[in-house]
């Protein structure tokens, strides 16, 4: 592959990773958070921590989780992984911070089932876009990637298990309906 072709691919990958993270942030800030739906991944952990520890913006907690997971991924998955994940580690919290401040984006629907479906759809599309490029969105994608590397278990299965467990953690913070809606979203 020529240097020109690889540079072009890198730019296209960067744009698509940014787009995937923006779509995920829209699903989170536009549908899940306003409807008080517990999510999987770093967002779900951050939503749970937000109630237990102290109130900090969701995007700040997600960034903290992403940075910790990124460091673990760097040491356990290598430099190539780290380079591919670095953009998402900061892009998702960046877009989330922008979207969670928008009145219009945080008031898209009052129907919680509709919010769960659209949150799941948008987060799935964004996550799928990033993962199909061979990158990670950071955060809670990293433990499944590590387990996949060590065991060979399908990544999609591991991501689903991780998200399921994260949503169940929400039982300690939210009511059962928020968790059930979170499971629909996942």
């Amino acid at each position: 592959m020529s240097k020109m072709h690889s540079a072009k691919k890198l730019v296209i990958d960067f744009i698509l990773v940014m787009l995937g993270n923006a779509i995920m942030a829209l699903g989170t800030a536009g549908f899940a958070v306003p409807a008080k739906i517990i999510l999987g991944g770093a967002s779900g952990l951050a939503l749970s921590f937000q109630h237990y520890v102290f109130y900090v913006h969701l995007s700040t907690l997600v960034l903290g989780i992403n940075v910790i997971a990124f460091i673990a991924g760097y040491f356990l998955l290598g430099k190539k992984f780290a380079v591919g994940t670095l953009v998402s580690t900061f892009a998702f919290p960046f877009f989330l911070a922008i979207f969670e401040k928008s009145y219009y984006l945080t008031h898209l629907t009052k129907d919680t089932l509709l919010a769960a479906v659209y949150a799941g759809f948008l987060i799935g599309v964004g996550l799928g876009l990033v993962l199909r490029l061979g990158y990670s969105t950071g955060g809670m994608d990293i433990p499944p990637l590590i387990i996949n590397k060590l065991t060979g278990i399908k990544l999609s299965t591991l991501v689903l298990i991780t998200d399921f467990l994260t949503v169940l953690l929400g039982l300690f913070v939210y009511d059962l309906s928020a968790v059930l809606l979170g499971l629909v979203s996942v």
Side-chain angles (χ1 to χ4, degrees):
M1 190 183 314
S2 71
K3 286 187 179 189
M4 179 75 90
H5 183 70
S6 64
K8 182 179 176 183
K9 182 186 177 334
L10 192 61
V11 169
I12 291 170
D13 281 2
F14 175 80
I15 292 168
L16 291 174
V17 167
M18 293 295 281
L19 177 63
N21 278 279
I23 293 169
M24 286 176 41
L26 177 60
T28 302
F31 294 99
V33 173
K36 295 181 177 32
I37 298 169
I38 190 71
L39 297 170
S43 299
L45 280 180
L47 285 167
S48 294
F49 292 161
Q50 199 174 38
H51 287 280
Y52 273 122
V53 184
F54 44 81
Y55 183 80
V56 175
H57 285 286
L58 182 64
S59 55
T60 304
L61 288 171
V62 169
L63 178 61
I65 292 167
N66 281 358
V67 168
I68 291 167
F70 176 79
I71 292 168
Y74 173 81
F75 287 110
L76 297 169
L77 298 171
K79 287 181 185 177
K80 184 180 179 192
F81 162 82
V83 170
T85 302
L86 185 61
V87 171
S88 290
T89 298
F90 295 98
F92 178 73
F94 170 76
F95 286 119
L96 190 59
I98 291 171
F99 295 159
E100 69 185 351
K101 291 177 185 172
S102 168
Y103 175 82
Y104 296 107
L105 289 179
T106 58
H107 289 82
L108 294 171
T109 184
K110 291 182 181 190
D111 184 322
T112 54
L113 183 57
L114 194 61
V117 170
Y118 276 95
F121 174 75
L122 290 170
I123 292 167
V125 166
L127 175 63
L129 180 60
V130 174
L131 290 178
R132 290 201 44 92
L133 291 168
Y135 302 111
S136 163
T137 60
M140 293 307 292
D141 292 348
I142 295 173
L145 286 165
I146 292 169
I147 295 169
N148 169 262
K149 180 180 178 181
L150 297 174
T151 66
I153 298 172
K154 283 179 51 174
L155 183 59
S156 58
T157 301
L158 294 169
V159 169
L160 189 60
I161 290 169
T162 303
D163 284 349
F164 180 77
L165 293 173
T166 304
V167 170
L168 285 181
L169 177 67
L171 279 173
F172 296 107
V173 178
Y174 293 95
D175 63 7
L176 182 59
S177 65
V179 172
L180 293 173
L181 286 167
L183 292 174
V184 167
S185 188
V186 167

